[in-house]
């Protein structure tokens, strides 16, 4: 217990002691000073015993009232029974019945002794106050048997019951506030109309029980069917309310609950800029590929595992909501830093692979954050801006992104660019250029790499570093790659008919390595253009392989079974080792330009490149050095072994006719055309 919590703890103990003393002392004083109730005959004693049993069962099996999809309050059926006992036999016996039923439930649920004492004492206080409202009028009208007097007695009993309930609500709410440090209004906050209406029904039941109790147990048993019906009706309502507020697949709260939680958090009171509440939107990366490739049942299993992990990663005060598909959300009562920290915890919860049957899948996610009031002061604004931040996180691969006004412009701009890219792909407006690769030892051009280029009709050239990530994140990468592969194989078929024996390299994205249908699609493309599989090289990055090694290996093995060569592009920028890549059965290694461009500096880069080439050649891999910009680099690489060079010094990416002219110039005129 920290120093700042000690005063609150002392105040709580003082409050519990005061309530206990008042409850126990008031009960004792009433028992000593009050006369025995009149006409406490055998019939009434049996009725009181029945009501006591009714109270015990009602305390153990309360009616659950669900509000906004969550269990917020339990209504004890002991309350109307105790109210009836109060009218029939006075406050002391009523307190005894209430304490007995509460004690049985407290012992059954193993509550601490101080809570048991407090519960009994606070109920005693409530019953004594209720009796103070009912008893004077009941005494005044004791001998009056007119309908008006009867109505007044029942009205007084109803009022006493409602006061008893509301006083109990306040006493317990104050104890919770002192215990948790919440503002007093927090545990007391509820729908007043709903609260009064539901308890008025119970108090009506208590008034009826009080009215018929003198007639014996035979009439009282008629209260059992409506009590059972009320409980079942409430249980059915609770189930329906839960279903309406929760996602049926994952059991998480749904979008409507998120809106309610965000509205409540925003309505809690004014705050300084950046003090919250905050909204975190989280979306799974590449989930559509899992869903489309493995099927919706597997996709559903992934979502359930993800939901469980996210729910375990967040505090109880910030439950996870599923908004639909693979999108989740959390309301954070805190600052930007709090929201970022919670986002990091949620993403870290997905670090371990998700095991579905025999598959191990690496599921990754991105998160967007918007925090009130600086990012919006209503639900719609926070949702919109958190969504924009999420889009930015996925596009920039930041994983966690906090909303910034500049993202609005960028988002609209990117969406327009995405629409234009889709049109360009559909209309065949993308260009494919080719960059040659030189076998240094043989001084021959042995391969070309096909590269997509986009000359926008109004914006001019759009760099591949802009439109390729856009295509990957939007799913257009499949159609874009299909266009590039088709044009590249068509061009390779033309060159082969002219006698140019070169390989053609085409890039695959991480999305392709999760699609088990890729080998069949590539096989059909090869067949369509009449090109042998041995002439095609498919390049993938090591990070793409490591994002889901098991599935990547299946795709790679399927492609190699066709006779296609697999190359690792940009080697050295990820985390894969050569031995690991060898186990994945790749054929070619492309050393990243970052290392190759500095190999003449006699530093670490030269050692890395030389060692990598030696080990790769020893493993039987073909080696391509990217970023070769001058002749001295060629000369240095020549001393490292059989290396293929690619870079501006060998040749810039260019149209097919320019590359064909270069093939003739470097390799000489072909001697034999391929059929």
């Amino acid at each position: 217990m920290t120093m700042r919590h000690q005063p609150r703890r002392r105040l709580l103990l003082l409050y519990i002691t005061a309530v206990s003393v008042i409850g126990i002392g008031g009960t004792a004083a009433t028992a000593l000073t009050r006369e025995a109730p009149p006409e406490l005959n055998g019939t009434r004693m049996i009725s009181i015993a029945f009501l006591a049993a009714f109270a015990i069962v009602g305390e153990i099996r309360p009616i659950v009232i669900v509000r906004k999809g969550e269990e917020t309050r339990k209504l004890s059926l002991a309350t109307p029974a105790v109210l009836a006992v109060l009218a029939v036999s006075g406050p002391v016996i009523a307190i005894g019945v209430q304490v007995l039923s509460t004690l049985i439930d407290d012992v059954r649920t193993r509550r601490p002794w101080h809570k048991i004492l407090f519960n009994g004492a606070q109920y005693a206080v409530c019953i004594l106050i209720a009796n103070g409202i009912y008893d004077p009028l009941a005494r005044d009208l004791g001998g009056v048997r007119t309908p008006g007097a009867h109505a007044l007695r029942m009205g007084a009993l109803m009022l006493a019951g409602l006061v008893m309930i509301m006083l109990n609500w306040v006493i317990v709410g104050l104890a919770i506030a002192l215990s948790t440090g919440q503002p007093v209004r927090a545990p007391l906050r509820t729908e007043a109309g709903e609260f009064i209406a539901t308890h008025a029904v119970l108090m009506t039941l208590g008034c009826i029980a009080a009215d018929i109790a003198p007639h014996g147990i035979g009439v009282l048993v008629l209260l059992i069917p409506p009590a059972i019906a009320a409980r079942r009706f409430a249980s059915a309502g609770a189930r329906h309310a839960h279903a309406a507020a929760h996602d049926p697949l994952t059991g998480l709260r749904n979008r409507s609950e998120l809106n309610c939680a965000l509205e409540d958090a925003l309505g809690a009171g004014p705050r300084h800029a950046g003090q919250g509440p905050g909204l975190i939107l989280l979306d799974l990366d590449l989930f559509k590929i899992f869903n489309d490739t493995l099927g919706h049942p597997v996709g559903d299993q992934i979502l359930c595992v993800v939901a469980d992990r996210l729910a375990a990663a967040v505090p109880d005060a910030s439950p996870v909501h599923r908004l639909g598909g693979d999108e989740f959300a959390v309301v954070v009562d805190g600052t930007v830093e709090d929201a970022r920290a919670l986002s990091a915890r949620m993403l870290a919860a997905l670090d371990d692979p998700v095991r579905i049957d025999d598959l191990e899948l690496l599921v990754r996610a991105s998160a967007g954050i918007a925090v009130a009031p600086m990012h919006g002061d209503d639900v719609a604004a926070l949702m919109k801006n958190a969504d924009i931040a999420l889009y930015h996180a996925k596009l920039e691969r930041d994983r966690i992104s906090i909303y910034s006004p500049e993202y609005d412009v960028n988002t609209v701009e990117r969406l327009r660019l995405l629409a234009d890219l889709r049109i360009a792909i559909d209309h065949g407006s993308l260009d494919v250029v080719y960059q040659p690769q030189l076998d240094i030892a043989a001084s021959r051009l042995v391969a070309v790499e096909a590269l997509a280029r986009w000359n926008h009709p109004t914006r001019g050239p759009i760099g591949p570093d802009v439109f390729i990530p856009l295509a990957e994140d939007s799913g257009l990468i499949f159609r874009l790659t299909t266009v590039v592969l088709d044009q590249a194989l068509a061009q390779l078929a033309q060159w082969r008919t002219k006698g140019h024996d070169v390989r053609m390299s085409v890039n695959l994205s991480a999305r392709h390595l999760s699609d088990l249908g890729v080998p069949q699609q590539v096989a059909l493309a090869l067949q369509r253009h009449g090109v042998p599989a041995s002439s095609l090289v498919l390049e993938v990055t090591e990070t793409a392989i490591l994002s889901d090694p098991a599935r990547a290996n299946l795709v790679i093995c399927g492609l190699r079974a066709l006779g296609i060569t697999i190359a690792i592009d940009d080697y050295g920028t990820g985390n894969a080792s050569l031995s690991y890549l060898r186990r994945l059965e790749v054929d070619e290694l492309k050393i990243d330009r970052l290392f190759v461009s500095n190999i003449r500096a006699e530093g670490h880069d030269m050692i890395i490149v030389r060692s990598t080439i030696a080990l790769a050649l020893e493993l039987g891999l073909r080696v391509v050095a990217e970023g070769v910009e001058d002749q001295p680099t060629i000369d240095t690489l020549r001393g490292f072994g059989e290396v293929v060079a690619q870079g501006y010094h060998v040749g810039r990416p260019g149209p097919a006719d320019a590359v064909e002219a270069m093939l003739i110039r470097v390799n000489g005129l072909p001697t034999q055309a391929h059929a």
Side-chain angles (χ1 to χ4, degrees):
M1 181 69 65
T2 62
M3 294 296 293
R4 65 187 180 90
H5 290 157
Q6 287 180 358
R8 193 176 75 224
R9 179 177 173 81
R10 286 196 293 267
L11 190 59
L12 175 62
L13 290 174
L14 182 62
Y15 175 73
I16 291 175
T17 302
V19 171
S20 300
V21 169
I22 294 172
I24 296 172
T27 302
T30 302
L32 292 174
T33 60
R34 184 178 174 85
E35 297 178 358
E39 301 180 14
L40 199 59
N41 53 33
T43 300
R44 289 203 174 195
M45 290 294 292
I46 294 174
S47 295
I48 291 171
F50 174 84
L51 290 171
F54 190 97
I56 292 170
V57 175
E59 190 71 28
I60 294 174
R61 302 291 299 275
I63 294 175
V64 178
I65 297 296
V66 176
R67 180 170 155 265
K68 293 186 179 179
E70 292 300 316
E71 181 182 309
T72 57
R73 184 164 291 274
K74 293 179 179 178
L75 301 183
S76 173
L77 284 171
T79 306
V82 169
L83 184 66
V85 174
L86 175 66
V88 171
S89 61
V92 176
I93 296 179
I95 290 172
V97 170
Q98 177 67 75
V99 170
L100 176 63
S101 60
T102 303
L103 179 64
I104 291 173
D105 185 57
D106 287 346
V107 171
R108 184 180 65 88
T109 55
R110 298 182 179 180
R111 288 192 178 93
W113 67 267
H114 64 278
K115 287 189 176 181
I116 295 176
L117 178 63
F118 175 77
N119 281 342
Q122 62 93 6
Y123 277 125
V125 171
C126 296
I127 293 171
L128 289 172
I129 297 296
N131 183 69
I133 295 172
Y134 171 71
D135 189 59
L137 183 61
R139 284 179 180 272
D140 292 342
L141 299 175
V144 181
R145 293 289 181 263
T146 65
H150 184 266
L152 283 174
R153 279 196 298 271
M154 290 298 98
L157 187 60
M158 172 72 78
L159 177 61
L162 289 175
V163 169
M164 180 173 67
I165 289 293
M166 296 185 71
L167 186 59
N168 165 258
W169 180 43
V170 172
I171 292 174
V172 173
L174 288 172
I176 293 173
L178 289 172
S179 175
T180 62
Q182 301 178 65
V184 174
R185 68 179 182 274
L188 298 181
R189 188 170 57 210
T190 187
E191 299 288 345
E194 174 191 322
F195 178 80
I196 294 172
T198 53
H199 284 87
V201 173
L202 289 182
M203 294 308 100
T204 301
L205 190 63
C207 291
I208 294 172
D211 198 39
I212 63 177
H215 300 289
I217 192 173
V219 182
L220 279 176
V221 294
L222 297 177
L223 295 176
I224 296 177
I228 294 174
R231 190 178 185 284
R232 290 190 174 179
F233 181 78
S235 298
R239 288 194 299 271
H240 291 314
H242 186 276
H246 289 75
D247 171 52
L249 175 64
T250 63
L252 299 177
R253 303 184 194 188
N254 59 19
R255 183 181 289 272
S256 65
E257 282 297 289
L258 175 70
N259 291 337
C260 291
L262 206 48
E263 285 176 356
D264 289 346
L266 288 167
R271 309 190 191 198
H272 299 296
Q275 294 299 308
L279 175 63
I280 301 171
L281 293 184
L282 185 143
D283 185 87
L284 302 185
D285 300 332
L286 307 179
F287 177 73
K288 187 176 184 302
I289 294 177
F290 292 138
N291 220 25
D292 293 346
T293 305
L294 302 177
H296 292 287
V298 173
D300 288 347
Q301 292 182 63
I302 294 173
L303 289 174
C304 289
V305 173
V306 168
D308 290 342
R309 292 191 185 180
L310 294 179
V314 303
D316 293 338
S318 300
V320 182
H321 303 73
R322 184 188 175 208
L323 306 188
D326 60 337
E327 191 172 18
F328 301 85
V330 172
V331 177
V332 183
D333 186 17
T335 64
V336 171
E337 290 73 22
D338 295 330
R340 182 191 285 276
L342 184 56
S343 298
R345 285 219 312 270
M346 293 169 69
L347 295 184
L350 305 179
D351 283 347
D352 292 335
V354 173
R355 175 171 284 280
I356 305 294
D357 297 328
D358 295 331
L359 292 175
E360 277 196 354
L361 307 172
L362 288 178
V363 180
R364 294 291 179 261
S366 302
I369 299 171
V371 178
M374 61 183 181
H375 299 152
D377 55 6
D378 58 36
V379 173
L382 284 177
M383 288 289 291
K384 170 180 170 289
N385 292 335
D387 199 41
I388 289 172
L390 173 61
Y391 181 80
H392 182 268
K394 295 181 79 68
L395 212 53
E396 300 297 331
R397 302 176 185 273
D398 291 338
R399 298 202 72 192
I400 299 175
S401 181
I402 298 170
Y403 173 76
S404 173
E406 68 187 59
Y407 297 164
D408 272 326
V409 178
N410 289 343
T411 298
V412 173
E413 195 68 17
R414 287 180 185 275
L415 288 174
R416 287 175 182 160
L417 200 61
L418 180 61
D420 292 343
L421 178 60
R422 183 176 285 106
I423 293 172
I425 294 174
D426 291 342
H427 294 178
S429 302
L430 290 178
D431 298 319
V432 177
V433 296
Y434 305 92
Q435 186 172 26
Q437 297 177 355
L438 177 72
D439 185 325
I440 296 176
S443 297
R444 288 181 58 82
L445 297 179
V446 292
V448 295
E449 180 179 359
L451 302 166
R453 293 293 183 264
W454 183 21
N455 190 20
H456 194 279
T458 59
R459 306 184 189 194
I462 305 292
D465 59 328
V466 173
F467 73 83
I468 294 296
L470 193 65
E472 287 182 343
D473 291 325
S474 64
L476 279 178
I477 193 65
F478 289 102
R479 290 162 61 186
L480 189 151
T481 302
T482 298
V483 169
V484 173
L485 180 64
D486 198 61
Q487 290 192 36
L489 291 180
Q491 184 57 58
L492 181 60
Q494 289 184 30
W495 283 337
R496 286 179 58 80
T497 59
K498 296 178 181 179
H500 298 291
D501 189 10
V502 291
R503 297 183 297 273
M504 177 67 72
S505 291
V506 177
N507 290 280
L508 294 183
S509 75
R511 285 179 174 256
H512 289 96
L513 294 185
S514 296
D515 186 352
L516 297 178
V518 164
Q520 182 181 5
Q521 295 166 14
V522 175
L524 292 174
L526 289 169
Q527 183 180 1
R528 186 164 58 249
H529 294 286
V531 173
S534 58
S535 296
L536 177 62
V537 180
L538 293 177
E539 299 184 8
V540 296
T541 62
E542 54 185 295
T543 52
I545 291 177
L546 293 177
S547 65
D548 190 350
R551 292 189 62 76
N553 194 33
L554 290 175
V555 175
I556 288 173
C557 287
L559 292 169
R560 292 187 81 250
L562 298 173
I564 296 168
T565 298
I566 301 298
I568 301 300
D569 195 14
D570 299 335
Y571 181 79
T573 59
N575 301 305
S577 66
L578 278 172
S579 59
Y580 183 78
L581 295 177
R582 185 54 180 165
R583 288 201 301 274
L584 285 173
E585 299 186 15
V586 298
D587 306 284
E588 181 176 294
L589 202 67
K590 298 189 73 175
I591 303 175
D592 188 75
R593 67 186 71 246
L594 177 67
F595 302 101
V596 175
S597 60
N598 293 319
I599 61 172
R600 291 187 296 109
E602 295 291 335
H604 289 143
D605 285 346
M606 185 189 71
I607 297 173
I608 291 171
V609 172
R610 183 176 60 199
S611 302
T612 301
I613 291 173
L615 184 54
L617 293 176
E618 187 69 24
L619 290 171
L621 302 178
R622 186 165 58 233
V623 179
V624 178
E626 297 184 287
V628 176
E629 310 296 338
D630 51 40
Q631 185 60 39
T633 301
I634 292 277
D635 296 336
T636 303
L637 289 170
R638 183 179 286 111
F640 293 164
E642 297 180 8
V643 179
V644 175
Q646 181 177 347
Y648 284 178
H649 181 69
V650 176
R652 291 176 177 270
D657 54 356
V659 174
E660 184 177 345
M662 187 177 179
L663 285 171
I664 295 172
R665 185 173 68 253
V666 175
N667 294 355
L669 289 170
T671 57
Q672 181 180 358
H674 294 272

